[in-house]
Coordinates of all heavy atoms in Angstrom, one line a residue:
E164 N 69.6 101.5 125.7 CA 69.6 100.0 126.2 C 69.1 99.0 125.3 O 69.7 98.0 125.2 CB 68.9 100.0 127.6 CG 69.6 100.8 128.7 CD 70.9 100.3 129.2 OE1 71.3 99.1 128.9 OE2 71.6 101.1 129.8
R165 N 68.0 99.4 124.7 CA 67.4 98.4 123.7 C 68.1 98.3 122.4 O 68.2 97.3 121.9 CB 66.0 98.8 123.5 CG 65.1 98.8 124.7 CD 65.1 97.4 125.5 NE 64.7 96.3 124.8 CZ 65.0 95.0 125.1 NH1 65.6 94.8 126.2 NH2 64.5 94.0 124.3
T166 N 68.7 99.4 122.0 CA 69.5 99.3 120.9 C 70.9 98.5 121.1 O 71.2 97.7 120.2 CB 70.0 100.8 120.4 OG1 68.8 101.5 120.1 CG2 70.9 100.7 119.1
A167 N 71.3 98.7 122.3 CA 72.5 97.8 122.7 C 72.2 96.3 122.6 O 73.0 95.5 122.2 CB 73.0 98.2 124.0
Y168 N 71.0 96.1 123.2 CA 70.4 94.6 123.1 C 70.4 94.2 121.7 O 70.9 93.0 121.4 CB 69.1 94.6 123.8 CG 68.5 93.2 123.6 CD1 68.8 92.2 124.6 CD2 67.7 92.9 122.6 CE1 68.2 91.0 124.5 CE2 67.1 91.6 122.4 CZ 67.5 90.6 123.3 OH 66.9 89.4 123.2
A169 N 69.9 94.9 120.8 CA 69.8 94.5 119.4 C 71.2 94.2 118.7 O 71.4 93.3 118.1 CB 69.0 95.4 118.6
L170 N 72.1 95.2 119.1 CA 73.5 95.0 118.6 C 74.1 93.8 119.0 O 74.7 93.0 118.2 CB 74.3 96.2 118.8 CG 73.9 97.6 118.3 CD1 74.7 98.7 118.7 CD2 74.0 97.6 116.7
E171 N 74.0 93.5 120.3 CA 74.7 92.5 120.9 C 74.0 91.0 120.7 O 74.5 90.0 120.3 CB 74.7 92.6 122.4 CG 76.1 92.6 122.9 CD 76.2 92.8 124.5 OE1 75.4 93.6 125.1 OE2 77.0 92.1 125.1
H172 N 72.6 91.1 120.9 CA 71.9 89.7 120.9 C 71.1 89.4 119.6 O 70.9 88.3 119.4 CB 71.0 89.7 122.1 CG 71.7 89.8 123.4 ND1 72.4 88.8 124.0 CD2 71.9 90.9 124.2 CE1 73.0 89.2 125.1 NE2 72.7 90.5 125.3
V173 N 71.0 90.4 118.7 CA 70.3 90.1 117.5 C 71.4 90.0 116.3 O 71.4 89.2 115.5 CB 69.1 91.1 117.1 CG1 68.5 90.7 115.9 CG2 68.1 91.2 118.3
L174 N 72.2 91.0 116.4 CA 73.3 91.1 115.3 C 74.6 90.3 115.7 O 75.5 90.2 114.9 CB 73.6 92.6 114.9 CG 72.5 93.4 114.4 CD1 72.8 94.7 114.2 CD2 72.0 92.7 113.1
G175 N 74.7 90.0 117.1 CA 75.9 89.2 117.4 C 77.2 89.8 117.6 O 78.2 89.3 117.5
M176 N 77.1 91.2 117.8 CA 78.3 92.0 118.0 C 78.7 91.8 119.4 O 78.1 91.5 120.4 CB 78.0 93.5 117.8 CG 77.8 93.7 116.2 SD 77.6 95.5 116.0 CE 76.7 95.5 114.4
E177 N 80.1 92.2 119.6 CA 80.8 92.1 120.9 C 80.9 93.5 121.5 O 81.2 94.5 120.8 CB 82.1 91.5 120.7 CG 82.8 91.2 122.0 CD 84.3 90.7 121.7 OE1 84.7 90.5 120.5 OE2 85.0 90.6 122.7
R178 N 80.5 93.6 122.8 CA 80.5 95.0 123.5 C 82.0 95.1 123.9 O 82.4 94.2 124.7 CB 79.6 94.9 124.6 CG 79.5 96.2 125.4 CD 78.4 95.9 126.4 NE 78.1 97.1 127.3 CZ 76.9 97.6 127.5 NH1 75.9 97.1 127.0 NH2 76.9 98.7 128.3
I179 N 82.8 96.0 123.4 CA 84.2 96.0 123.8 C 84.7 97.2 124.6 O 85.9 97.1 125.0 CB 85.0 96.0 122.4 CG1 84.8 97.0 121.5 CG2 84.7 94.6 121.8 CD1 85.8 97.2 120.4
G180 N 83.9 98.1 124.8 CA 84.5 99.2 125.7 C 83.4 100.4 125.8 O 82.4 100.4 125.2
E181 N 83.8 101.2 126.9 CA 83.0 102.5 127.1 C 83.9 103.6 127.2 O 85.0 103.5 127.7 CB 82.3 102.3 128.5 CG 81.1 101.3 128.5 CD 80.3 101.2 129.8 OE1 80.2 102.4 130.3 OE2 79.9 100.2 130.1
F182 N 83.5 104.7 126.6 CA 84.2 105.9 126.6 C 83.4 107.2 126.7 O 82.6 107.4 125.7 CB 85.3 106.0 125.4 CG 85.9 107.3 125.3 CD1 87.1 107.6 126.1 CD2 85.5 108.3 124.6 CE1 87.8 108.8 126.0 CE2 86.1 109.5 124.4 CZ 87.2 109.7 125.2
N183 N 83.4 107.9 127.7 CA 82.8 109.3 127.7 C 81.3 109.2 127.3 O 80.8 110.0 126.5 CB 83.6 110.1 126.8 CG 83.4 111.6 127.2 OD1 83.0 111.9 128.2 ND2 83.9 112.5 126.2
G184 N 80.6 108.2 127.8 CA 79.1 108.1 127.5 C 78.8 107.3 126.2 O 77.6 107.1 126.0
F185 N 79.9 106.8 125.5 CA 79.7 105.9 124.3 C 79.9 104.5 124.8 O 80.9 104.2 125.5 CB 80.6 106.2 123.3 CG 80.4 107.5 122.5 CD1 80.8 108.8 123.0 CD2 79.6 107.5 121.3 CE1 80.7 109.9 122.3 CE2 79.3 108.8 120.7 CZ 79.9 110.0 121.2
V186 N 79.2 103.5 124.2 CA 79.5 102.1 124.2 C 80.0 101.7 122.9 O 79.3 102.1 121.8 CB 78.5 101.2 124.8 CG1 78.8 99.8 124.8 CG2 78.1 101.6 126.3
R187 N 81.0 101.0 122.8 CA 81.6 100.6 121.5 C 81.2 99.0 121.3 O 81.4 98.3 122.1 CB 83.1 100.9 121.2 CG 83.6 100.2 120.0 CD 85.0 100.8 119.7 NE 84.8 102.2 119.1 CZ 85.7 102.8 118.4 NH1 87.0 102.4 118.4 NH2 85.5 104.0 117.8
F188 N 80.8 98.7 120.0 CA 80.4 97.3 119.7 C 81.2 97.0 118.5 O 81.5 97.8 117.6 CB 79.0 97.2 119.4 CG 78.0 97.4 120.6 CD1 77.7 98.7 120.8 CD2 77.6 96.5 121.4 CE1 76.8 99.1 121.9 CE2 76.8 96.7 122.5 CZ 76.4 98.0 122.7
R189 N 81.7 95.7 118.5 CA 82.6 95.3 117.3 C 81.9 94.1 116.6 O 81.6 93.1 117.2 CB 83.9 94.9 117.8 CG 84.9 94.5 116.7 CD 86.3 94.3 117.2 NE 86.4 93.2 118.1 CZ 87.3 93.1 119.0 NH1 88.3 93.9 119.1 NH2 87.3 92.1 119.9
A190 N 81.9 94.2 115.2 CA 81.4 93.0 114.4 C 82.6 92.3 113.9 O 83.8 92.9 114.1 CB 80.5 93.6 113.3
S191 N 82.5 91.3 113.3 CA 83.6 90.4 113.0 C 84.4 90.8 111.7 O 85.6 90.3 111.6 CB 83.1 88.9 112.8 OG 82.3 88.9 111.7
G192 N 83.9 91.7 110.9 CA 84.6 92.1 109.6 C 85.7 93.1 109.8 O 86.0 93.5 111.0
E193 N 86.3 93.5 108.7 CA 87.5 94.5 108.8 C 87.0 95.9 108.5 O 87.7 96.9 108.6 CB 88.5 94.1 107.8 CG 89.3 92.9 108.1 CD 90.6 93.0 107.5 OE1 90.8 93.0 106.3 OE2 91.6 92.9 108.2
L194 N 85.8 96.0 107.9 CA 85.3 97.4 107.5 C 83.8 97.4 108.1 O 83.2 96.4 108.3 CB 85.1 97.6 106.0 CG 86.4 97.9 105.2 CD1 86.1 97.9 103.7 CD2 87.1 99.1 105.8
G195 N 83.4 98.7 108.5 CA 82.0 98.8 108.9 C 81.8 98.0 110.2 O 80.7 97.6 110.5
N196 N 82.8 97.9 111.0 CA 82.7 96.9 112.0 C 82.8 97.5 113.5 O 82.6 96.7 114.5 CB 84.0 96.0 112.0 CG 85.3 96.6 112.1 OD1 85.5 97.8 111.6 ND2 86.3 96.0 112.6
L197 N 82.9 98.9 113.6 CA 82.9 99.4 115.0 C 81.8 100.3 115.1 O 81.7 101.4 114.4 CB 84.3 100.1 115.3 CG 85.5 99.2 115.4 CD1 86.7 100.0 115.5 CD2 85.3 98.2 116.5
I198 N 80.9 100.0 116.0 CA 79.5 100.8 116.1 C 79.6 101.5 117.5 O 79.7 100.7 118.5 CB 78.3 99.8 116.0 CG1 78.4 99.1 114.7 CG2 77.1 100.7 116.2 CD1 78.5 99.9 113.3
D199 N 79.5 102.8 117.5 CA 79.5 103.5 118.8 C 78.1 104.0 119.0 O 77.4 104.6 118.2 CB 80.5 104.7 118.8 CG 82.0 104.3 118.6 OD1 82.2 103.1 118.9 OD2 82.8 105.1 118.3
L200 N 77.7 103.7 120.3 CA 76.3 104.1 120.7 C 76.4 105.0 121.9 O 76.9 104.6 123.0 CB 75.6 102.8 121.1 CG 74.2 102.9 121.6 CD1 73.2 103.4 120.6 CD2 73.7 101.5 122.1
P201 N 75.9 106.3 121.8 CA 75.8 107.2 122.9 C 74.7 106.6 123.9 O 73.7 106.3 123.4 CB 75.4 108.5 122.4 CG 75.7 108.5 120.9 CD 75.5 107.0 120.5
M202 N 75.0 106.5 125.1 CA 74.1 105.8 126.1 C 73.0 106.8 126.6 O 72.2 106.5 127.4 CB 74.8 105.0 127.2 CG 75.5 103.9 126.6 SD 74.6 102.7 125.5 CE 73.4 102.0 126.7
A203 N 73.1 108.2 126.1 CA 72.1 109.1 126.4 C 71.0 109.0 125.4 O 71.4 109.0 124.2 CB 72.7 110.5 126.6
A204 N 69.8 108.9 125.8 CA 68.7 108.8 124.8 C 68.7 110.1 123.9 O 68.8 111.2 124.5 CB 67.3 108.5 125.4
A205 N 68.4 110.0 122.7 CA 68.4 111.2 121.7 C 67.0 111.5 121.5 O 66.2 110.5 121.3 CB 69.1 110.9 120.5
P206 N 66.5 112.8 121.4 CA 65.1 113.0 120.9 C 65.0 112.6 119.4 O 65.9 112.5 118.7 CB 65.0 114.5 121.1 CG 66.5 115.0 121.1 CD 67.3 113.9 121.6
W207 N 63.7 112.2 119.1 CA 63.4 111.6 117.8 C 63.9 112.7 116.7 O 63.6 113.8 116.8 CB 61.9 111.4 117.7 CG 61.4 110.2 118.4 CD1 60.7 110.0 119.5 CD2 61.5 108.9 117.7 NE1 60.4 108.8 119.7 CE2 60.9 108.0 118.6 CE3 62.0 108.4 116.5 CZ2 60.8 106.6 118.4 CZ3 61.9 107.0 116.3 CH2 61.4 106.1 117.2
G208 N 64.5 112.1 115.8 CA 64.7 112.9 114.5 C 63.6 112.8 113.6 O 62.5 112.2 113.9
A209 N 63.7 113.4 112.4 CA 62.7 113.5 111.5 C 63.3 113.2 110.2 O 64.4 113.9 109.7 CB 61.9 114.8 111.5
G210 N 62.8 112.3 109.3 CA 63.3 112.0 108.0 C 63.2 113.2 107.0 O 62.4 114.1 107.1
G211 N 64.1 113.2 106.0 CA 64.2 114.2 105.0 C 65.7 114.3 104.5 O 66.5 113.5 105.0
A212 N 66.0 115.2 103.6 CA 67.3 115.4 103.1 C 68.3 115.6 104.2 O 68.0 116.2 105.2 CB 67.4 116.4 102.0
G213 N 69.5 114.9 104.0 CA 70.5 115.0 105.0 C 70.3 114.0 106.2 O 70.9 114.3 107.2
T214 N 69.5 113.1 106.1 CA 69.3 112.1 107.2 C 69.4 110.7 106.7 O 69.1 110.5 105.4 CB 67.8 112.3 108.0 OG1 66.8 111.8 107.0 CG2 67.8 113.7 108.4
V215 N 69.8 109.8 107.5 CA 69.9 108.3 107.1 C 68.5 107.7 107.2 O 67.8 107.9 108.2 CB 70.9 107.7 108.0 CG1 70.9 106.2 107.8 CG2 72.3 108.2 107.7
H216 N 68.1 106.9 106.3 CA 66.9 106.1 106.3 C 67.1 104.8 107.0 O 66.2 104.4 107.8 CB 66.4 106.0 105.0 CG 65.1 105.2 104.9 ND1 65.0 103.9 104.4 CD2 63.8 105.6 105.2 CE1 63.7 103.5 104.5 NE2 63.0 104.5 104.9
H217 N 68.1 104.1 106.7 CA 68.3 102.8 107.4 C 69.8 102.4 107.3 O 70.6 102.9 106.4 CB 67.4 101.7 106.9 CG 67.7 101.3 105.4 ND1 67.0 101.9 104.3 CD2 68.6 100.5 104.8 CE1 67.4 101.4 103.2 NE2 68.4 100.5 103.5
I218 N 70.2 101.5 108.1 CA 71.5 100.9 108.1 C 71.3 99.5 107.9 O 70.5 98.7 108.5 CB 72.3 101.3 109.4 CG1 73.7 100.7 109.3 CG2 71.6 100.8 110.7 CD1 74.7 101.3 110.4
A219 N 72.1 98.9 106.9 CA 72.0 97.4 106.7 C 73.2 96.7 107.0 O 74.4 97.2 107.0 CB 71.8 97.3 105.2
W220 N 73.0 95.5 107.6 CA 74.1 94.6 108.1 C 74.2 93.4 107.2 O 73.4 93.0 106.7 CB 73.7 94.2 109.6 CG 73.3 95.3 110.4 CD1 72.0 95.7 110.8 CD2 74.2 96.3 111.1 NE1 71.9 96.9 111.5 CE2 73.3 97.2 111.8 CE3 75.5 96.4 111.2 CZ2 73.8 98.3 112.5 CZ3 76.1 97.4 111.9 CH2 75.3 98.3 112.6
R221 N 75.5 92.9 107.3 CA 75.8 91.9 106.2 C 75.4 90.5 106.6 O 75.6 90.1 107.8 CB 77.4 91.9 106.1 CG 77.9 93.1 105.4 CD 79.5 93.2 105.4 NE 80.0 92.0 104.6 CZ 81.2 91.8 104.4 NH1 82.2 92.5 105.1 NH2 81.6 90.8 103.7
A222 N 74.9 89.7 105.7 CA 74.7 88.3 105.7 C 75.6 87.7 104.7 O 75.6 88.2 103.6 CB 73.2 88.0 105.5
A223 N 76.2 86.7 105.1 CA 77.3 86.1 104.1 C 76.7 85.5 102.9 O 77.4 85.7 101.8 CB 78.1 85.1 104.9
D224 N 75.6 85.0 102.9 CA 75.0 84.3 101.6 C 73.5 84.2 101.8 O 72.9 84.5 102.8 CB 75.6 83.0 101.4 CG 75.7 82.1 102.4 OD1 74.6 82.0 103.2 OD2 76.7 81.3 102.8
F225 N 72.8 83.6 100.8 CA 71.3 83.5 100.8 C 70.9 82.6 101.8 O 69.9 82.8 102.7 CB 70.8 83.1 99.4 CG 71.1 84.2 98.4 CD1 72.0 83.8 97.4 CD2 70.6 85.4 98.5 CE1 72.2 84.7 96.4 CE2 70.9 86.3 97.4 CZ 71.7 86.0 96.4
E226 N 71.7 81.5 102.1 CA 71.3 80.5 103.0 C 71.3 81.0 104.5 O 70.4 80.9 105.3 CB 72.3 79.3 102.9 CG 71.8 78.1 103.7 CD 72.9 76.9 103.6 OE1 73.9 77.1 102.9 OE2 72.7 75.9 104.2
Q227 N 72.4 81.8 104.7 CA 72.5 82.4 106.0 C 71.5 83.5 106.2 O 71.0 83.8 107.3 CB 74.0 83.1 106.2 CG 74.3 83.3 107.6 CD 75.5 84.3 107.7 OE1 75.4 85.4 107.6 NE2 76.7 83.7 108.2
H228 N 71.1 84.2 105.1 CA 70.1 85.1 105.2 C 68.8 84.6 105.8 O 68.1 85.3 106.6 CB 69.8 85.7 103.7 CG 69.2 87.1 103.8 ND1 68.1 87.4 103.0 CD2 69.5 88.3 104.4 CE1 67.7 88.6 103.2 NE2 68.5 89.2 104.0
E229 N 68.3 83.5 105.3 CA 67.2 82.8 105.9 C 67.3 82.6 107.4 O 66.4 82.8 108.2 CB 66.9 81.4 105.2 CG 66.6 81.4 103.7 CD 65.2 82.1 103.5 OE1 64.4 82.1 104.3 OE2 65.1 82.6 102.3
L230 N 68.5 82.1 107.8 CA 68.8 82.0 109.2 C 68.7 83.3 110.0 O 68.2 83.4 111.1 CB 70.2 81.3 109.5 CG 70.2 79.9 108.9 CD1 71.7 79.4 109.1 CD2 69.3 78.9 109.5
W231 N 69.2 84.3 109.4 CA 69.1 85.6 110.0 C 67.7 86.0 110.3 O 67.4 86.6 111.3 CB 69.8 86.7 109.1 CG 71.2 86.9 109.4 CD1 72.2 86.5 108.6 CD2 71.9 87.6 110.5 NE1 73.5 86.9 109.1 CE2 73.2 87.5 110.3 CE3 71.3 88.1 111.7 CZ2 74.2 87.9 111.3 CZ3 72.1 88.6 112.6 CH2 73.6 88.6 112.4
R232 N 66.8 85.8 109.2 CA 65.5 86.2 109.4 C 64.8 85.4 110.6 O 64.1 86.0 111.3 CB 64.6 85.9 108.1 CG 63.3 86.5 108.1 CD 62.7 86.5 106.8 NE 61.3 87.2 106.9 CZ 60.2 86.6 107.6 NH1 60.3 85.4 108.0 NH2 59.2 87.3 107.8
T233 N 65.2 84.2 110.7 CA 64.7 83.4 111.8 C 65.3 83.9 113.2 O 64.6 84.0 114.2 CB 65.1 81.9 111.7 OG1 64.7 81.4 110.4 CG2 64.6 81.0 112.8
Q234 N 66.6 84.4 113.2 CA 67.1 84.9 114.3 C 66.4 86.2 114.8 O 66.2 86.5 116.0 CB 68.6 85.1 114.1 CG 69.3 85.8 115.4 CD 70.9 85.5 115.4 OE1 71.3 84.3 115.2 NE2 71.7 86.5 115.4
V235 N 66.2 87.1 113.8 CA 65.5 88.3 114.0 C 64.1 88.1 114.7 O 63.7 88.6 115.7 CB 65.4 89.2 112.8 CG1 64.5 90.4 113.1 CG2 66.8 89.7 112.4
S236 N 63.3 87.2 114.0 CA 62.0 87.0 114.5 C 62.0 86.3 115.9 O 61.1 86.5 116.8 CB 61.0 86.2 113.6 OG 61.7 85.0 113.2
G237 N 63.0 85.3 116.1 CA 63.1 84.7 117.3 C 63.5 85.5 118.5 O 63.3 85.2 119.7
S238 N 64.0 86.7 118.1 CA 64.4 87.8 119.2 C 63.2 88.7 119.5 O 63.3 89.7 120.2 CB 65.6 88.6 118.7 OG 66.6 87.7 118.4
G239 N 62.1 88.5 118.9 CA 60.8 89.2 119.2 C 60.6 90.2 118.2 O 59.7 91.1 118.5
F240 N 61.4 90.4 117.2 CA 61.1 91.5 116.2 C 60.3 90.9 115.1 O 60.1 89.7 114.9 CB 62.5 92.0 115.7 CG 63.2 92.7 116.8 CD1 64.3 92.0 117.4 CD2 63.1 94.0 117.0 CE1 65.0 92.7 118.5 CE2 63.8 94.7 118.0 CZ 64.7 94.0 118.7

Side-chain angles (χ1 to χ4, degrees):
E164 292 294 340
R165 298 308 298 164
T166 301
Y168 173 85
L170 293 173
E171 241 184 317
H172 299 284
V173 185
L174 297 176
M176 291 184 200
E177 190 186 350
R178 186 178 180 127
I179 59 167
E181 287 184 36
F182 173 83
N183 209 11
F185 290 88
V186 175
R187 173 162 280 192
F188 297 84
R189 183 173 62 203
S191 63
E193 287 208 303
L194 286 175
N196 58 326
L197 293 177
I198 305 302
D199 290 344
L200 177 66
M202 292 310 286
W207 280 101
T214 67
V215 169
H216 180 253
H217 66 266
I218 182 167
W220 309 99
R221 294 174 63 183
D224 53 38
F225 298 116
E226 193 183 356
Q227 198 195 74
H228 199 233
E229 296 291 339
L230 299 175
W231 269 110
R232 193 171 181 284
T233 305
Q234 179 158 304
V235 169
S236 58
S238 306
F240 295 92

